[in-house]
Amino acid sequence: MSDERVEQAVRVGLGERGYDVVVGDGILGGIGGAAREVGLRGRCALISDERVAGLYGDEVEGSLRAAGYEVVRVEVPEGEASKSLGQVEACCGAMARGGLDRGSFVLALGGGVVGDLAGLVAAVYYRGVPYVQVPTTVVAQVDSSVGGKTGVNLGEGKNLVGAFHQPRLVWADVATLATLGEREYREGFAEVIKHAAIRDAAMLDGLGARVAERGGAGMVELMARNVAIKARVVEEDERETAGVRALLNFGHTAGHGIEAAGGYGRFLHGEAISLGLVVAVRLSVQVAGLAEGEAARVLGALEEFGLPMVLPEDVEIAAVLEAMGRDKKFEGGQVRFVLLRALGDAFVSEDVTVEMVGEVLSP
Amino acid sequence: MSDERVEQAVRVGLGERGYDVVVGDGILGGIGGAAREVGLRGRCALISDERVAGLYGDEVEGSLRAAGYEVVRVEVPEGEASKSLGQVEACCGAMARGGLDRGSFVLALGGGVVGDLAGLVAAVYYRGVPYVQVPTTVVAQVDSSVGGKTGVNLGEGKNLVGAFHQPRLVWADVATLATLGEREYREGFAEVIKHAAIRDAAMLDGLGARVAERGGAGMVELMARNVAIKARVVEEDERETAGVRALLNFGHTAGHGIEAAGGYGRFLHGEAISLGLVVAVRLSVQVAGLAEGEAARVLGALEEFGLPMVLPEDVEIAAVLEAMGRDKKFEGGQVRFVLLRALGDAFVSEDVTVEMVGEVLSP
């Protein structure tokens, strides 16, 4: 259909920190002009991981240079281990050697790891420079590139060090999803299913069709729909102080514990979140009155994407619970767990104990 | 005199980020109550260096505990080398192991190094927690504890990584200056003399008396007077975007270059700034019309405090100039140098070249 929209812009309305999330199909080469349009000046640090840099680095650099920017390329190893203060130091050092000063900006090209890392680099380099997110995974396009949460991990836990630093622009090209491995593609839908569960149950209808069909206008539509959900939550509660943004942690309390217990790298983030969603849905049925039929819709969607739903036997439940205890979402020592009373009706419960999580995880 | 004021509060007026700087003589034991009064809650990470912790750690911890706070002590090695991302990681890790969550706060007890480091730790731990500055050196009391600039060094340059993060309270006890070594005490006056040069020349009158007399109401008065100068500048230009805050860099462009060229540790910060002030004053005479008599007042004050005024022969001028080229104050590759047309009339000049700095530094 010639009238299909191949580009959609979702505004994140945060006053002077507001910005557009542009989702399109085949828009990658337009990033240089788009950066000019939002007023970015100075040199650009193009931060990416080795895989994504090899696929899209030249096209992005070329677009930036065509728009008149000098570009300093910075590459980090692929994978969660790059979310470290050591990599923050390496990136900032490379930028300093490349002559980037406080009038420069950062462009994060890649998935959630690169976005979280480069966002923190931008937050602290010269005490803060602007940055652009160019997300190339499903998770990054629907979730992590939007909302300004940046961070790296410590040995003691995930995202313990970071900053709230909103990007100046998010530029999401669904065509980049074509080069994701099957597992990397599917894991992203854990966050899509989470969004559906807490805010937009109708999005679950026909979602499974996206397993085979990665690009096109339907994908642009789906990504933009997810971005809009995230944007509205961020607008209500930018710094996660009002409790609304905490609802986005549905599935994440157990999910992060599972991710940590597996050792980062064992599970992809979305796979751990899938397991966390199973826990959260089951606890919602047990203590919050979620109907079995609604629970089944969420679990069925996870199944359609072939996401893990049972904790592998070699991951110790005790290790999961111990890691959960160190998680940021345990406020003042108290467990804060997001549950559903019904699809679309999420809330923060203080009725969930670590023991209850352990029971749900037990075979 | 019984009517001497032994405590003065200077407000830093930044709206919802505003706070008091309380300067007093013998007020250290009141910090716990003061933290309660400004609404701080949760556990406290008391970050200090080994020397200061040994002198004042127990008193501060006791005061905090008496006010009902749980305290986790974190100690870093003394000296500029602790301003590193490695120490940020060590501090955050210790805090996580100590059970501090996003409802906690940081207290920085020490000089500029501890304040800059702990301030950045507070800025990034759990994406930002509140903090209190308890400065125990002259530099920290008159300058670095006020204004929210936090940061650490990279091999590539000083303060290249940091954040603007305003403290919730600054609690400055001049009695803590009694335990400073002679050199550490005197270096602090480089910043006092800088403040006098750019904003309050009358402060130079009788300043030399402070060499021998460290505490008392006169010292409280002097520290508060300096804090007020800094506070007014910060209020005008919190994030150094309007150019006003840049005036505080008087003496610092060459000073930071000298500090880097000497290898951090060769010069105390204030000693390097003294050398930088000499450069800035001489260039002010050469290109900005500063009267020789006014220049002599500034140089005379540095001399009264026995601060270095001639670059030691073994520090290479070329290394100073090279380090200056990487300094944050070189905007877009252009040298930006703060000069004086007259005492109290500072401005940012773009007429100073690296070569001119080299000539002034030459014997």
Side-chain angles (χ1 to χ4, degrees):
Chain A
M1 291 189 289
S2 62
D3 62 345
E4 281 185 339
R5 298 174 62 187
V6 294
E7 190 175 313
Q8 291 192 28
V10 179
R11 184 75 186 170
V12 184
L14 292 170
E16 61 180 17
R17 290 184 307 284
Y19 53 95
D20 281 336
V21 181
V22 179
V23 184
D25 190 1
I27 62 172
L28 200 62
I31 182 61
R36 279 281 168 223
E37 260 183 42
V38 297
L40 291 165
R41 61 190 183 83
R43 295 180 188 178
C44 174
L46 199 179
I47 301 181
S48 196
D49 69 28
E50 290 155 352
R51 188 187 73 85
V52 177
L55 289 165
Y56 305 115
D58 290 349
E59 182 175 359
V60 170
E61 181 178 348
S63 173
L64 290 165
R65 290 197 183 276
Y69 295 107
E70 282 186 62
V71 178
V72 173
R73 300 256 303 240
V74 182
E75 285 178 25
V76 301
E78 196 184 353
E80 184 78 17
S82 283
K83 281 185 59 171
S84 70
L85 278 171
Q87 283 298 339
V88 170
E89 183 155 25
C91 289
C92 291
M95 289 162 65
R97 291 190 300 278
L100 276 72
D101 62 18
R102 77 176 67 188
S104 309
F105 69 100
V106 167
L107 186 147
L109 172 66
V113 168
V114 165
D116 286 4
L117 168 67
L120 180 56
V121 167
V124 298
Y125 189 65
Y126 278 76
R127 299 196 182 93
V129 297
Y131 75 116
V132 175
Q133 291 275 17
V134 183
T136 62
T137 65
V138 178
V139 179
Q141 293 191 355
V142 301
D143 184 14
S144 60
S145 70
V146 180
K149 272 194 184 179
T150 73
V152 297
N153 306 323
L154 295 178
E156 288 79 6
K158 211 172 142 72
N159 293 324
L160 289 184
V161 171
F164 287 97
H165 187 49
Q166 299 295 341
R168 195 68 69 82
L169 171 70
V170 181
W171 194 253
D173 186 350
V174 299
T176 61
L177 305 178
T179 52
L180 289 174
E182 192 62 29
R183 201 177 150 199
E184 285 74 17
Y185 177 71
R186 288 168 181 251
E187 65 138 347
F189 284 83
E191 300 288 358
V192 172
I193 293 163
K194 177 197 79 178
H195 280 157
I198 63 172
R199 287 267 169 141
D200 184 3
M203 197 160 63
L204 294 172
D205 300 329
L207 189 62
R210 299 257 73 85
V211 176
E213 186 197 337
R214 292 195 186 190
M219 196 67 176
V220 171
E221 176 68 41
L222 180 65
M223 296 291 104
R225 188 169 173 171
N226 276 275
V227 167
I229 291 170
K230 177 83 182 259
R232 296 301 88 79
V233 172
V234 170
E235 287 166 358
E236 284 177 63
D237 184 16
E238 184 182 1
R239 295 178 74 101
E240 201 166 327
T241 48
V244 179
R245 190 159 182 174
L247 301 181
L248 292 172
N249 288 325
F250 184 65
H252 281 56
T253 303
H256 281 167
I258 290 164
E259 197 171 8
Y264 299 113
R266 165 70 189 266
F267 301 108
L268 297 177
H269 176 71
E271 293 171 345
I273 297 310
S274 175
L275 291 162
L277 286 169
V278 173
V279 171
V281 165
R282 291 204 175 133
L283 287 171
S284 295
V285 172
Q286 284 180 19
V287 306
L290 179 68
E292 289 281 3
E294 295 201 318
R297 287 185 71 192
V298 177
L299 300 177
L302 295 171
E303 201 165 8
E304 279 187 304
F305 283 88
L307 288 163
M309 300 181 67
V310 179
L311 190 70
E313 280 181 19
D314 63 320
V315 178
E316 290 191 23
I317 293 174
V320 174
L321 303 182
E322 207 263 323
M324 273 177 50
R326 287 194 310 261
D327 192 277
K328 286 201 304 306
K329 284 170 285 299
F330 283 70
E331 190 78 35
Q334 186 153 33
V335 182
R336 293 165 61 79
F337 213 97
V338 183
L339 296 178
L340 294 175
R341 292 186 195 91
L343 292 180
D345 184 11
F347 69 105
V348 176
S349 168
E350 295 180 352
D351 293 336
V352 174
T353 63
V354 168
E355 291 71 28
M356 290 162 69
V357 176
E359 277 170 35
V360 170
L361 282 171
S362 299
Chain B
M1 292 189 292
S2 60
D3 61 345
E4 280 184 338
R5 296 173 64 188
V6 294
E7 189 175 314
Q8 292 191 27
V10 179
R11 184 75 185 171
V12 183
L14 292 170
E16 61 181 16
R17 291 185 305 284
Y19 52 95
D20 282 335
V21 181
V22 179
V23 185
D25 190 0
I27 62 173
L28 199 61
I31 182 61
R36 278 281 168 224
E37 259 182 44
V38 298
L40 291 165
R41 60 189 185 85
R43 294 182 189 177
C44 174
L46 199 179
I47 301 181
S48 196
D49 69 27
E50 290 155 353
R51 188 187 72 85
V52 176
L55 289 165
Y56 304 114
D58 290 347
E59 181 174 0
V60 169
E61 182 179 348
S63 173
L64 290 165
R65 290 197 183 276
Y69 294 107
E70 281 185 64
V71 178
V72 173
R73 300 257 302 240
V74 182
E75 285 179 25
V76 302
E78 197 184 353
E80 184 79 16
S82 283
K83 282 185 59 171
S84 70
L85 278 170
Q87 283 298 339
V88 170
E89 183 155 25
C91 289
C92 290
M95 288 162 64
R97 291 191 300 278
L100 277 72
D101 62 18
R102 78 177 65 188
S104 309
F105 69 99
V106 167
L107 186 148
L109 172 66
V113 167
V114 165
D116 286 4
L117 168 68
L120 180 56
V121 167
V124 298
Y125 189 65
Y126 278 74
R127 298 196 181 95
V129 297
Y131 75 116
V132 175
Q133 291 274 16
V134 183
T136 62
T137 65
V138 178
V139 179
Q141 293 191 354
V142 302
D143 184 14
S144 59
S145 70
V146 181
K149 273 194 183 178
T150 73
V152 297
N153 306 323
L154 295 178
E156 288 78 6
K158 209 173 145 70
N159 292 324
L160 288 184
V161 171
F164 286 97
H165 187 49
Q166 299 294 343
R168 194 69 69 81
L169 171 71
V170 181
W171 194 253
D173 186 350
V174 300
T176 62
L177 305 178
T179 51
L180 289 173
E182 190 65 27
R183 202 177 149 198
E184 285 73 17
Y185 177 72
R186 288 168 181 250
E187 65 138 347
F189 284 84
E191 300 289 359
V192 173
I193 293 162
K194 177 197 80 178
H195 280 156
I198 64 172
R199 286 265 170 143
D200 185 1
M203 197 160 61
L204 294 172
D205 301 329
L207 189 62
R210 298 257 70 87
V211 176
E213 186 196 338
R214 292 193 185 191
M219 197 66 177
V220 171
E221 176 69 41
L222 180 66
M223 296 293 104
R225 187 169 174 171
N226 276 276
V227 168
I229 292 171
K230 178 83 183 260
R232 297 300 86 80
V233 172
V234 169
E235 287 166 359
E236 285 178 62
D237 183 17
E238 184 182 0
R239 296 178 73 101
E240 200 166 329
T241 48
V244 178
R245 189 158 182 176
L247 302 181
L248 292 173
N249 288 325
F250 184 64
H252 282 56
T253 304
H256 281 168
I258 289 164
E259 198 171 7
Y264 299 115
R266 165 69 189 265
F267 300 108
L268 298 177
H269 176 72
E271 292 171 347
I273 297 310
S274 175
L275 291 162
L277 286 169
V278 172
V279 171
V281 164
R282 290 203 177 132
L283 287 170
S284 294
V285 171
Q286 283 179 21
V287 305
L290 179 68
E292 289 281 5
E294 295 201 319
R297 286 185 71 192
V298 177
L299 300 178
L302 295 172
E303 201 164 7
E304 279 187 304
F305 282 87
L307 288 164
M309 301 180 67
V310 179
L311 191 69
E313 280 182 19
D314 63 321
V315 179
E316 289 192 22
I317 292 174
V320 174
L321 303 182
E322 208 264 322
M324 271 177 50
R326 288 192 311 262
D327 192 277
K328 285 200 307 302
K329 282 168 286 303
F330 283 70
E331 190 77 35
Q334 187 155 33
V335 182
R336 293 166 59 81
F337 213 96
V338 182
L339 296 178
L340 293 174
R341 293 185 196 93
L343 292 181
D345 184 10
F347 69 105
V348 176
S349 169
E350 296 179 352
D351 294 336
V352 174
T353 63
V354 168
E355 291 70 29
M356 290 162 69
V357 176
E359 279 171 32
V360 170
L361 281 172
S362 299

